[in-house]
Amino acid sequence: MGEVSTGEEVRVIGAADAVATREVVPMCDEGPRFSVKEYRFAEEQDEQEREEPRPELVVLIPEVLDSQYGMYVWPCAVVLAQYLWFHRRMLPGKRILEIGAGMSLPGIVAAKCGAEVILSDTEELPQCLKNCERSCQINNLLGVHIIGLTWGQISPNLVSLPQVDIILASDVFFEPEDFEDVITTVYFLMKRNPDAQFWTTYQVRSSDWSIEALLYKWKLKNIHVPLQSFNADKEQLATSPLPGRHTIEMMIISLAGASYTSVSAS
């Protein structure tokens, strides 16, 4: 794993489940403690191809040792990142916005695969934006823009966004009271970008929770993307123990009148 240039002291604390992990101790008492985890995406090969080099992508994520939602990688993020890796050849030249980015694993994968990426998280929690910045720094991604966007609010940052092709989000449908705020933000972006698509993964936590009525209300449609179609139907992805045994689903959302294009090929 490459050197980490974050200005903090780095100490190796071992590897588990094939995930290289390092604890990073701040040089001053005020900074957060975090551990760096390595996610390694590789193309699957059959027996005849195993002697040949295979494409591989390594992403480092500095997880903050904190109980807040955005401070570590959730199972949905690894599944969405796997989708991006599987479709990496269509990403160069695309402008991608990740909302509720947190540790930004999907957005970092997209950027490393050649997309122009904007990472966003709530303006109300500056530490979440700092997490995005730290993930970019540790992966040597200097051209990624980071902005504050709070779901459900028409802010100057939201209004001034450039045209986007793809919106990303993993596990933003976590609290039912936030569902419509997420949907209205996505709808606002899609009205300005009619051909854009919203790629999102979510964890099934309750059979009573659904966004179908909200999609109908806001004139959006969705298609379900089977995990096996992008090699994500496994308990362990990217040499990590995630997503584990959690039930993860993926869908692509677009305006009801939009037609699907090759960008969502599966």
Side-chain angles (χ1 to χ4, degrees):
M1 188 162 60
E3 289 302 313
V4 180
S5 56
T6 60
E8 292 93 350
E9 176 188 354
V10 181
R11 182 164 63 240
V12 177
I13 60 174
D17 296 309
V19 181
T21 306
R22 294 192 280 185
E23 182 183 20
V24 179
V25 183
M27 298 303 288
C28 61
D29 293 336
E30 297 179 357
R33 297 170 67 91
F34 58 91
S35 63
V36 178
K37 292 188 177 178
E38 179 182 278
Y39 295 84
R40 189 176 293 269
F41 298 86
E43 194 170 84
E44 292 194 353
Q45 295 176 307
D46 57 33
E47 292 185 3
Q48 294 180 342
E49 297 174 324
R50 287 179 182 172
E51 298 300 322
E52 302 175 3
R54 60 177 181 168
E56 187 175 78
L57 176 68
V58 176
V59 175
L60 306 179
I61 297 295
E63 296 188 341
V64 179
L65 306 180
D66 190 291
S67 60
Q68 291 190 40
Y69 294 169
M71 302 299 181
Y72 53 92
V73 174
W74 288 57
C76 289
V78 183
V79 174
L80 183 56
Q82 171 65 22
Y83 186 80
L84 290 157
W85 166 250
F86 189 84
H87 293 289
R88 61 193 179 277
R89 292 177 182 86
M90 67 177 65
L91 298 181
K94 301 296 182 185
R95 182 178 288 132
I96 294 178
L97 168 69
E98 183 174 6
I99 63 173
M103 304 315 302
S104 311
L105 176 61
I108 296 295
V109 169
K112 285 197 163 220
C113 290
E116 179 184 343
V117 173
I118 303 169
L119 300 175
S120 72
D121 213 315
T122 177
E123 296 173 288
E124 299 167 1
L125 294 174
Q127 183 57 45
C128 289
L129 298 176
K130 183 64 178 178
N131 291 341
C132 297
E133 180 182 340
R134 188 179 291 116
S135 291
C136 290
Q137 290 174 342
I138 207 168
N139 288 283
N140 298 314
L141 293 171
L142 304 180
V144 174
H145 299 285
I146 300 169
I147 62 173
L149 286 182
T150 300
W151 305 329
Q153 296 183 13
I154 307 300
S155 65
N157 280 345
L158 181 65
V159 172
S160 62
L161 275 171
Q163 182 176 349
V164 297
D165 301 298
I166 300 166
I167 305 160
L168 300 177
S170 61
D171 220 2
V172 294
F173 297 111
F174 182 85
E175 300 283 3
E177 58 264 32
D178 293 333
F179 288 5
E180 188 156 21
D181 286 342
V182 175
I183 293 295
T184 56
T185 299
V186 170
Y187 177 78
F188 178 87
L189 290 166
M190 287 186 167
K191 286 298 286 184
R192 299 180 66 199
N193 306 273
D195 295 326
Q197 295 181 346
F198 179 34
W199 297 1
T200 185
T201 49
Y202 63 97
Q203 182 174 327
V204 178
R205 294 183 172 90
S206 171
S207 59
D208 297 328
W209 294 359
S210 173
I211 64 168
E212 294 297 330
L214 290 173
L215 294 178
Y216 179 80
K217 174 182 176 180
W218 290 97
K219 298 180 175 59
L220 299 171
K221 64 181 179 182
N222 72 296
I223 60 168
H224 176 262
V225 182
L227 300 192
Q228 63 268 26
S229 70
F230 56 102
N231 298 332
D233 54 335
K234 302 174 178 63
E235 291 185 11
Q236 298 184 357
L237 295 172
T239 63
S240 82
L242 298 176
R245 296 186 178 180
H246 302 289
T247 301
I248 309 298
E249 302 287 350
M250 174 159 181
M251 58 184 170
I252 294 175
I253 295 173
S254 62
L255 289 175
S259 59
Y260 291 109
T261 62
S262 60
V263 76
S264 65
S266 57

